[in-house]
Amino acid sequence: MIKGLIFDFDGLVIDTESVWYESLCHVYEKHNAELPFDLYSQCIGTSLDRGFNPYHYLLEITDQNLDVEEIKRQSAEQHARIMQDRTLRPGVLSYLDTATKMGLKLGIASSSHLEWVTRFLNEHQIAKYFSCVCTADFVEKVKPDPALYLLALEQLDLSPNETIAFEDSANGAKAAHAAGLHTVIVPNAMTEHLTFGPHLLRLTSMEEMSLEDVITHVSRSNA
């Protein structure tokens, strides 16, 4: 029986991921450089320490005397400008409302930092839905390591078999599967072309299938 849901955050609840790529490409262009998506995709859903680092890469491919912190500042400013017009991904709020009415426990497992995640949760007034927010601040290793999901399960007092994970990235889906959760992927415009590992269900958005139907599908697959 499904008793809880754990959501990734960036790229799933709100699409900050494609905006980061867009922002970085803008900064790269200012320095007459190009950021290949196949390289950038390595860091989606994980930390820059574990994957590709686009800031260091820009230094490597240019002969200019660039300051990493200045590049980060420019990218963050561009990201903030674009995000002003972004909203929750389609169907997210409906899932949260439905889950709450069903009495399901809800949590977040994100490779980002707590300050970043809570900022958007508060801006979009959805912090109230989540009983736990597990981020990079509380584990030694982020996704694709399962530590974030294992921590969320512990805080929600759930077993993996009672829980569905919703992910948009290959690294995130790998982490959820490694933790033993039923994994549903909801790729965004940037991650839809990535190769995903094991998962029970793939949705184009949460509007494609009701939460009740997702739970039924997962339960039947587990029977």
Side-chain angles (χ1 to χ4, degrees):
M1 180 179 178
I2 299 302
K3 297 182 179 180
L5 314 175
I6 300 177
F7 294 80
D8 173 52
F9 182 73
D10 291 289
L12 179 85
V13 173
I14 185 168
D15 189 7
T16 59
E17 288 286 8
S18 62
V19 177
W20 271 123
Y21 183 60
E22 182 180 345
S23 302
L24 284 162
C25 284
H26 176 79
V27 173
Y28 269 62
E29 288 171 5
K30 290 174 61 177
H31 298 287
N32 299 312
E34 182 179 347
L35 177 58
F37 177 73
D38 61 337
L39 288 180
Y40 181 76
S41 66
Q42 297 174 31
C43 67
I44 297 175
T46 186
S47 70
L48 299 186
D49 295 331
R50 291 178 63 88
F52 170 75
N53 189 311
Y55 305 109
H56 293 167
Y57 181 69
L58 181 58
L59 298 184
E60 293 173 7
I61 63 175
T62 62
D63 295 327
Q64 305 170 47
N65 185 22
L66 302 178
D67 177 35
V68 172
E69 293 307 315
E70 177 60 19
I71 297 170
K72 289 181 178 180
R73 185 191 65 78
Q74 293 175 9
S75 301
E77 288 182 351
Q78 180 69 7
H79 189 277
R81 281 193 290 270
I82 300 173
M83 285 303 301
Q84 289 177 356
D85 299 323
R86 297 301 172 99
T87 59
L88 301 177
R89 285 191 65 192
V92 168
L93 190 57
S94 175
Y95 269 41
L96 296 178
D97 282 332
T98 300
T100 300
K101 291 174 183 176
M102 295 175 68
L104 300 177
K105 298 178 180 180
L106 302 180
I108 285 178
S110 171
S111 292
S112 295
H113 286 282
L114 183 62
E115 182 180 4
W116 172 265
V117 175
T118 54
R119 168 190 152 196
F120 286 104
L121 293 178
N122 291 330
E123 284 182 1
H124 293 276
Q125 300 180 357
I126 58 173
K128 62 184 179 182
Y129 291 100
F130 300 101
S131 299
C132 75
V133 179
C134 299
T135 62
D137 310 78
F138 308 112
V139 294
E140 292 185 6
K141 295 181 179 180
V142 295
K143 304 170 187 176
D145 190 277
L148 281 163
Y149 276 106
L150 295 174
L151 178 61
L153 288 171
E154 179 183 349
Q155 293 193 4
L156 292 172
D157 192 26
L158 293 171
S159 69
N161 198 48
E162 297 172 328
T163 313
I164 299 175
F166 290 92
E167 276 285 353
D168 71 291
S169 74
N171 281 318
K174 183 177 180 180
H177 179 73
L181 282 76
H182 306 292
T183 306
V184 174
I185 62 170
V186 194
N188 54 54
M190 190 173 68
T191 60
E192 62 182 356
H193 303 297
L194 298 180
T195 300
F196 285 81
H199 55 276
L200 288 178
L201 181 65
R202 179 180 181 131
L203 304 175
T204 55
S205 81
M206 293 180 194
E207 285 186 331
E208 181 182 344
M209 183 181 291
S210 70
L211 179 59
E212 294 95 334
D213 287 345
V214 168
I215 292 174
T216 297
H217 178 91
V218 168
S219 299
R220 287 174 178 171
S221 300
N222 193 45

